[in-house]
Structure formats: structure tokens, C-alpha cells
Amino acid sequence: MLSHWRQYLAISPFFLIFGVFSLFPVCYSLYLAFQRWDGMGTVQFVGLDQFRFLWDDPVFWLSIRNTLVIWVLSTVPTLFGALVLATLLHSVRRFKGFYRIALYIPNVTSIVAVSIFFGAVFSNNFGLVNAILGTVGISPVPWLSNPWLIKLVIALLMTWMWTGYNMIIYLAGLQAIPTQIYEAARLDGAGPIRTFFQITMPIMRPIILFTVIISTINGLQSFSEPQVLFGSNAANPNLGGPGQAGLTTLLYFYQSAFVNNDYGYGAAIVWAFFVLIMVLVVVNWRVVQRGRKS
């Protein structure tokens, strides 16, 4: 082992950076979850008190409900739209590279810029959507003040950003399917719909499982979208818009830790949320795997 010290030295910067900026903060946040600390004073051990308070905190459960609703409203159309677009793009013969770039650009665009754009487009008074609706005689819609419409706007933003990413993954999977399988299906008299559901979908199931898990993890971590849309900062205690309808769990963590300076409670929030994410990932994995076995 010591004879390879040069190789270990060459790869050591990655592990040092990972340990200092990733592993240590994760472990320290777990330590803080059992402490009370305002960032300046003495760290006080409180045991499970943070989690007991968390269990009885109505704002925490409100943030969980908001996060789950936004996740469902964004993930389902994202994956469905990505699969449809990938199927259509797979059959295109001309300008395929242009379509790939055009559909993938939203994913590499700054979330802050996209959130500002959506805030302007869906503005209650001067938004482009309400201006278009006004031309056909429809009164302005309170996109950023109605509790359900707030969630819908955030979900649309996330769908717009992540559909292209999942489409590229699905397209790669479709291109890896041998054409001989489809030719054999056509010779057996299978039509396009039957071919899609009985050949394409079973072969694509592992890729769909991957996108479901990734979309679950990314969709539940919505933070920048409601923060930018509703100007969430230390001077604005009404995080998540009117009635806190867009208050996600990570945004509530931000408020607890960096606005209220309660770092112990903030750490308890993220660790409880981490457990929830893992449970949902396992549930999604088991559902897709069960469908694969059946």
C-alpha cells in the first residue's frame, strides 16, 4: 500500500475537499440536531427536544404538505412529457441536434433567472399570462396569491426546467434499443401502440426507475423557486407567498436556521426531511420494481 503513495497523493485533493466541505458539514448537522445553538453562544445539548417540537410544529407539517403537492404536480407531467418528447424526437430525421439543444437549454439556465421570468409572466397585475387572458375577455387570475395556483406556478417552473433533462436520458435509452426487435414486432403484426407498451416500456423500465428516483430527490428539494418568486429574505417573514402556500421544507429550514438563527432546529428539520426523502425513494423503487417483476 505504501508503495503506491504517489497515486494516493494524486487523488487526495478530491477526498480532502469532499471531507471538509461535504462529509464534515453533514456529520456536524447531525450533531447540531441534538443541540440548541444560535450561532454565537454556547452549544447546549437538548437531546430529542428538537424532534419533539418538530413533531408538534404546524408550520413544519404545512411545509411538508406544500412540498409533496408541488412534487406531485411537477414530477408526473415532467416524466410523462419527457417520455413523449423523447419518443417524438427519436422518430425525427432532420434537425435532431437542434431539438436536443433547444429542449435541454432550460435545465442549464439559472434557477434564479427562470424564477424571476416566471414571476413576471404570472404576475397578478402585469403578467403576460393575464394580459393574454384579458384579450379574450377573461378576468385576471391571482396566480401568485391563490394557495393552489401558487403551487401550480412553482410546479410549472420545475417542469419547464427538468423535462429536457429527463428527455435526454429517455432518448439515450430509446436509441440503445436494437432496431431488430421493432422489425420483428412489425412482422408479427404489432402496431405502434402495442409495440410501445409491450416492447419499449418494459425495456425502458430501469431507465424510468432511475428518472423517478432522481426526480423524487430533486423535486422534494425545491428551494430557490419559492424563495425568488416571493422575495423571501430576513425582512420578509411571510416566506412562501400569501398564507405560506409556497413554503417548502427547505425554505422553512432556511428560515429557522439563517433567519431565526436557530441552527439546532434547522438541522432537525433537514434530517427529518432526509428520512422522508429516503422513504419516498424506497417506495417509488419498490413500486417500479414490482411492476417490472409482474
Side-chain angles (χ1 to χ4, degrees):
M1 181 175 178
L2 294 178
S3 61
H4 301 288
W5 67 271
R6 293 181 179 84
Q7 288 81 353
Y8 288 113
L9 181 64
I11 64 175
S12 62
F14 166 79
F15 292 99
L16 291 174
I17 294 174
F18 173 79
V20 173
F21 295 102
S22 296
L23 184 60
F24 173 74
V26 169
C27 297
Y28 191 66
S29 67
L30 181 60
Y31 164 77
L32 281 180
F34 300 95
Q35 317 293 324
R36 181 178 291 114
W37 186 47
D38 61 1
M40 298 291 292
T42 304
V43 179
Q44 179 184 359
F45 177 76
V46 294
L48 296 175
D49 287 352
Q50 304 280 20
F51 294 97
R52 294 191 188 99
F53 181 80
L54 187 72
W55 184 261
D56 298 325
D57 185 2
V59 181
F60 171 73
W61 292 110
L62 172 65
S63 71
I64 290 290
R65 290 195 298 271
N66 291 341
T67 303
L68 291 177
V69 170
I70 293 171
W71 168 62
V72 173
L73 290 176
S74 61
T75 301
V76 174
T78 295
L79 297 182
F80 177 77
L83 186 58
V84 172
L85 289 174
T87 304
L88 294 175
L89 188 56
H90 184 56
S91 61
V92 170
R93 300 303 178 187
R94 302 179 61 185
F95 306 110
K96 184 175 291 188
F98 169 78
Y99 293 132
R100 289 180 186 174
I101 296 174
L103 293 171
Y104 189 73
I105 281 179
N107 185 251
V108 297
T109 307
S110 169
I111 297 179
V112 174
V114 175
S115 300
I116 294 174
F117 172 77
F118 268 70
V121 169
F122 288 96
S123 174
N124 291 344
N125 300 319
F126 308 103
L128 177 62
V129 175
N130 279 337
I132 295 175
L133 294 177
T135 59
V136 294
I138 300 177
S139 58
V141 178
W143 296 103
L144 299 181
S145 57
N146 180 276
W148 277 99
L149 292 179
I150 286 174
K151 298 179 180 63
L152 180 61
V153 171
I154 297 174
L156 286 174
L157 193 161
M158 297 172 65
T159 301
W160 188 79
M161 289 202 63
W162 288 101
T163 299
Y165 170 82
N166 291 283
M167 180 214 64
I168 292 295
I169 296 176
Y170 288 151
L171 181 60
L174 291 173
Q175 291 177 340
I177 300 176
T179 57
Q180 294 85 348
I181 298 178
Y182 292 112
E183 293 173 357
R186 283 194 295 268
L187 292 175
D188 291 338
I193 297 178
R194 185 178 177 184
T195 300
F196 179 79
F197 285 102
Q198 294 190 1
I199 295 178
T200 304
M201 289 298 292
I203 295 177
M204 291 282 292
R205 194 177 298 275
I207 299 176
I208 294 175
L209 172 61
F210 170 78
T211 57
V212 167
I213 292 176
I214 294 299
S215 298
T216 299
I217 296 173
N218 290 332
L220 291 173
Q221 296 185 62
S222 54
F223 168 75
S224 300
E225 300 87 349
Q227 185 193 33
V228 176
L229 276 174
F230 302 104
S232 303
N233 51 54
N236 179 18
N238 191 25
L239 280 87
Q244 295 184 316
L247 178 65
T248 61
T249 306
L250 287 187
L251 192 56
Y252 185 46
F253 152 73
Y254 164 81
Q255 181 190 43
S256 300
F258 300 105
V259 177
N260 299 333
N261 295 324
D262 192 348
Y263 293 96
Y265 189 58
I269 291 174
V270 293
W271 274 100
F273 190 51
F274 169 75
V275 173
L276 174 63
I277 291 177
M278 293 305 299
V279 169
L280 292 176
V281 167
V282 171
V283 169
N284 284 330
W285 182 81
R286 291 298 298 271
V287 169
V288 177
Q289 284 294 93
R290 182 177 300 175
R292 182 181 181 182
K293 292 179 181 178
S294 62

